Amino acid sequence: MRLLVTGGAGFIGSEFVRGLLRSEPGTRVTVLDALTYSGVAENLAPVADHPGYRFVLGDVCDPDAVDRATAGQDAVVHFAAESHVDRSIAGAGPFVRTNVLGTQVLLDAALRHGVGRFVQVSTDEVYGSIAEGSWTEDQPLAPNSPYAASKAAADLLALAHHRTHGLDVVVTRCTNNYGPHQFPEKLIPLFTTRLIDGGTVPLYGDGRQVRDWLHVSDHCRGIRLVLHGGEPGEVYHIGGGTELSNRELTGLLLDAVGADPDRVVPVPDRKGHDLRYSLDDGKIRERLGYAPRVPFAEGLAATVDWYRANRRWWEPLTAAAAPA
Ligand code: NAD
């Protein structure tokens, strides 16, 4: 299979590429990535000499670059995005450009080149916030942040290309990912690196916001199941099965690093902060045999260890990181 992976130098995309070339060695992967602030070429160093791997520096909004990269591919897995909610609150422009326009440019190229499958990688945030229970895949979209709105728009464009043009589109929506190689602006890597450095960590509002945590390797295995076995035009949820409030998670990180609670500094809440996200992922479990494999306690401990051992990776990036 020949695969175009956009955003493959990022946190999740690079895990996907490394895992795919390890577990499906006959696959040929082209990564298209603009290496924005969150794209790290070194994330792909382990596969740099793999005979099935090729890297193309390019922007998903550039129709010529996308056209060249898409020609001859059997499938596209689309990760490239602006993905940090706080940045989208500071300015939505780059989110609309990359997440909406970039997705449309890719979809049009996929259609033109007769690509057999288009996987749109998306998020639980497109549904808004849910106090109790969990969303199923037929839940109407009600995004609250500019980031979530741009992802919802991209998902709808992708599904419209299926319904209108018959493009073989599948959409995955997952919960909060964690693991190694995550840019140190999201909660777990931001707090971990600051605690390792002896600093304080900023906890939004009362810390009651609840998220479900999914190890990045489980997420990528779920995407591979959907890539190979998903039904055209369908949406699949991928969950981790570990719901925690931000306050609870912060407590676990303090314990993991051996830091005192006075290192937590409450800061004014994020504007429009969603209280809780929760996905019902029964569909992918029943139809494609998905189940998360990494127990949260183990995954979190290994992640903290990775940041301890890889200061060289994250230290140059922290200067570019915004507050969580
Ligand atoms: P990331 O910020 O780590 O990586 C994004 C990658 O996309 C980077 O390599 C960056 O260089 C590249 N990129 C950005 N703009 C580009 C452009 N215009 N052209 C080409 N490349 C560009 O993000 P991530 O956390 O790995 O997220 C990947 C995908 O998963 C995103 O679509 C995101 O919405 C989705 N997602 C992430 C999470 C999470 O918890 N991290 C949860 C749900 C969904």
Side-chain angles (χ1 to χ4, degrees):
M1 184 182 232
R2 287 159 302 176
L3 210 63
L4 175 65
V5 177
T6 72
F11 164 47
I12 306 172
S14 66
E15 168 75 25
F16 181 80
V17 170
R18 294 188 306 265
L20 189 74
L21 289 173
R22 209 169 39 235
S23 56
E24 301 177 30
T27 308
R28 301 171 72 84
V29 175
T30 300
V31 168
L32 176 68
D33 198 298
L35 295 181
T36 67
Y37 79 94
S38 69
V40 182
E42 191 191 325
N43 289 347
L44 292 163
V47 295
D49 296 328
H50 192 290
Y53 167 76
R54 181 168 75 107
F55 182 84
V56 175
L57 181 64
D59 188 330
V60 290
C61 301
D62 174 351
D64 293 334
V66 168
D67 190 75
R68 283 193 297 275
T70 308
Q73 304 291 350
D74 299 312
V76 173
V77 184
H78 180 31
F79 292 96
E82 290 291 336
S83 70
H84 191 41
V85 174
D86 287 337
R87 288 178 187 261
S88 81
I89 293 168
F95 288 74
V96 174
R97 182 182 178 276
T98 291
N99 301 0
V100 185
L101 176 66
T103 302
Q104 175 248 308
V105 169
L106 271 166
L107 287 163
D108 286 350
L111 200 57
R112 211 167 35 248
H113 289 289
V115 166
R117 169 134 288 192
F118 189 103
V119 183
Q120 161 70 4
V121 178
S122 188
T123 168
D124 53 6
E125 301 192 30
V126 296
Y127 297 117
S129 187
I130 184 168
E132 285 174 11
S134 301
W135 293 300
T136 51
E137 283 84 351
D138 53 6
Q139 176 73 24
L141 306 190
N144 289 321
S145 72
Y147 161 65
S150 69
K151 292 296 289 189
D155 291 9
L156 294 175
L157 272 173
L159 291 168
H161 274 68
H162 170 68
R163 286 177 198 130
T164 304
H165 300 294
L167 185 67
D168 182 335
V169 168
V170 280
V171 176
T172 61
R173 294 188 181 131
C174 68
T175 58
N176 274 36
N177 283 222
Y178 73 100
H181 298 275
Q182 187 169 28
F183 190 84
E185 64 182 353
K186 306 276 171 72
L187 194 152
I188 288 182
L190 178 75
F191 282 23
T192 303
T193 53
R194 287 201 180 179
L195 291 172
I196 288 172
D197 261 351
T200 58
V201 295
L203 185 66
Y204 274 139
D206 55 14
R208 280 190 314 122
Q209 298 80 14
V210 173
R211 305 291 184 257
D212 170 60
W213 291 94
L214 168 67
H215 194 268
V216 64
S217 64
D218 283 327
H219 181 202
C220 290
R221 206 163 30 77
I223 294 172
R224 286 211 302 276
L225 289 170
V226 174
L227 167 68
H228 296 306
E231 286 293 319
E234 293 281 317
V235 177
Y236 294 87
H237 288 169
I238 306 174
T242 303
E243 282 197 21
L244 291 169
S245 70
N246 285 347
R247 182 167 289 286
E248 289 168 326
L249 176 60
T250 303
L252 295 176
L253 289 171
L254 290 171
D255 290 346
V257 178
D260 291 333
D262 63 3
R263 304 269 291 279
V264 181
V265 177
V267 294
D269 208 352
R270 170 190 276 168
K271 280 187 186 173
H273 207 169
D274 289 329
L275 182 60
R276 179 171 171 263
Y277 305 130
S278 183
L279 293 181
D280 178 334
D281 63 358
K283 178 171 165 179
I284 190 173
R285 287 174 185 259
E286 282 155 30
R287 300 196 191 166
L288 300 177
Y290 168 81
R293 288 181 185 159
V294 181
F296 183 73
E298 252 173 55
L300 190 69
T303 301
V304 171
D305 285 350
W306 187 86
Y307 281 93
R308 271 193 220 279
N310 288 279
R311 174 181 285 276
R312 200 185 48 80
W313 182 89
W314 55 264
E315 208 160 40
L317 303 178
T318 48

